[in-house]
């Protein structure tokens, strides 16, 4: 997908691309709107799901952006904006009962005219965020960082291009150098399987930096950096 987008950015059209079949967000995270603008003549079929709930819904070329139709064995509820999923058959794995996907969503109408419910997925619910398909808790990362005595406070900043900074305020007397940042990064990743897998594939996606002050009390901030 990155190579295809690169080709279209370079001004080379891809008229031979008739159909795109994409897995869930853990497969490809390119936004629907970007796909529509770069490949206007391509039919896009896509799944929606999370690594823990597996596939929840799907969308076709006529569907509105970010709108998905739940699979017949997945019962989706929206409770206070939270997307909950219940598996309706024991033959599917994993069996879920009102599983909280940590994502926000709303019921809506879809342009495709398909019968049954349609859900617009609005993204991860803070303090959770999406990183290359994985749903990660900023609160958990902050807790992992501050478990070390060198760290006084911490905050997660999510920037464009799905890059993540774990910003730490170091304790008085703690060494502020590349080695201590790398050590904190190593210890956090050691305790977080999903993030560690992501950082292995894309080492630049997650970095630890030290700051004098955090941007407010929130565990998660969205900023340009
Ligand atoms: Zn639709």
């Amino acid at each position: 997908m990155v190579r295809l987008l690169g080709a279209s950015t370079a001004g080379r059209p891809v008229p031979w691309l008739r159909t795109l079949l994409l897995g869930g967000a853990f497969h490809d995270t390119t936004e629907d709107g970007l796909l529509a603008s770069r490949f206007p003549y391509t039919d896009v079929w896509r799944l929606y799901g999370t690594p823990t709930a597996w596939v929840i819904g799907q969308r076709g070329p006529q569907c509105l952006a970010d709108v998905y139709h739940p699979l017949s064995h997945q019962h989706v509820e929206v409770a206070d904006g939270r997307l909950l999923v219940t598996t309706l058959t024991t033959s599917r794995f994993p069996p879920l009962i009102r599983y909280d996907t940590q994502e926000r969503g709303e019921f809506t109408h879809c342009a495709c005219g398909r019968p049954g419910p349609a859900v617009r997925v609005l993204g991860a619910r803070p303090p959770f965020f999406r990183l290359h398909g994985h749903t990660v808790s900023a609160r958990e990362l902050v807790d992992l960082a501050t478990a070390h005595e060198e760290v006084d406070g911490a905050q997660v900043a999510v920037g464009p291009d799905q890059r993540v900074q774990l910003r730490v305020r170091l304790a008085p007397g703690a060494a502020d150098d590349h080695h201590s940042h790398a050590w904190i990064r190593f210890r956090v990743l050691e305790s977080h399987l999903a993030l560690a897998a992501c950082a292995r594939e894309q080492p630049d996606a997650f970095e630890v930096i030290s700051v004098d002050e955090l941007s407010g009390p929130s565990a998660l901030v969205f900023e340009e950096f």
Side-chain angles (χ1 to χ4, degrees):
M1 200 64 241
V2 171
R3 284 170 60 194
L4 280 172
L5 284 169
S8 75
T9 308
R12 291 195 293 273
V14 280
W16 44 265
L17 188 64
R18 300 280 178 81
T19 305
L20 260 180
L21 301 175
L22 298 174
F26 41 97
H27 175 214
D28 187 272
T29 53
T30 312
E31 290 174 15
D32 288 344
L34 184 61
L35 288 174
S37 67
R38 294 289 176 78
F39 311 113
Y41 306 113
T42 302
D43 286 346
V44 179
W45 298 83
R46 188 167 214 176
L47 299 174
Y48 166 68
T50 70
T52 37
W54 206 231
V55 180
I56 297 168
Q58 58 124 306
R59 50 177 276 107
Q62 310 302 326
C63 293
L64 296 175
D66 303 318
V67 173
Y68 290 84
H69 300 274
L71 302 185
S72 58
H73 68 278
Q74 299 280 43
H75 175 65
V76 173
E77 295 170 82
V78 177
D80 298 328
R82 297 177 302 150
L83 276 184
L84 309 181
V85 178
T86 300
T87 313
L88 298 179
T89 168
T90 53
S91 64
R92 295 287 184 152
F93 189 82
L96 305 169
I97 299 176
R98 305 199 83 205
Y99 174 76
D100 188 342
T101 60
Q102 314 296 353
E103 298 226 286
R104 296 173 297 123
E106 61 186 12
F107 283 112
T108 184
H109 295 286
C110 190
C112 70
R114 200 184 307 196
V119 178
R120 178 175 289 111
V121 178
L122 301 170
R125 199 174 68 242
F128 291 85
F129 62 95
R130 278 276 186 149
L131 181 64
H132 296 286
H134 297 282
T135 304
V136 180
S137 165
R139 170 58 54 197
E140 187 179 356
L141 296 189
V142 167
D143 289 346
L144 287 171
T146 53
H148 300 286
E149 57 186 21
E150 303 95 331
V151 179
D152 239 5
Q155 185 171 53
V156 174
V158 177
D161 305 327
Q162 297 201 56
R163 288 191 305 124
V164 171
Q165 283 182 343
L166 177 60
R167 297 174 177 172
V168 295
R169 192 180 58 225
L170 294 170
D176 185 3
D177 56 26
H178 174 72
H179 295 293
S180 60
H181 302 172
W183 174 243
I184 294 167
R185 184 179 187 274
F186 172 78
R187 295 302 299 271
V188 168
L189 291 179
E190 190 180 49
S191 306
H192 201 295
L193 292 178
L195 190 60
C198 186
R200 246 192 323 273
E201 286 174 20
Q202 317 218 20
D204 295 339
F206 177 65
E207 64 176 342
V208 172
I209 64 166
S210 70
V211 293
D212 293 333
E213 286 300 328
L214 304 172
S215 312
S218 174
L220 176 65
V221 294
F222 294 92
E223 285 180 7
E224 299 251 338
F225 55 81

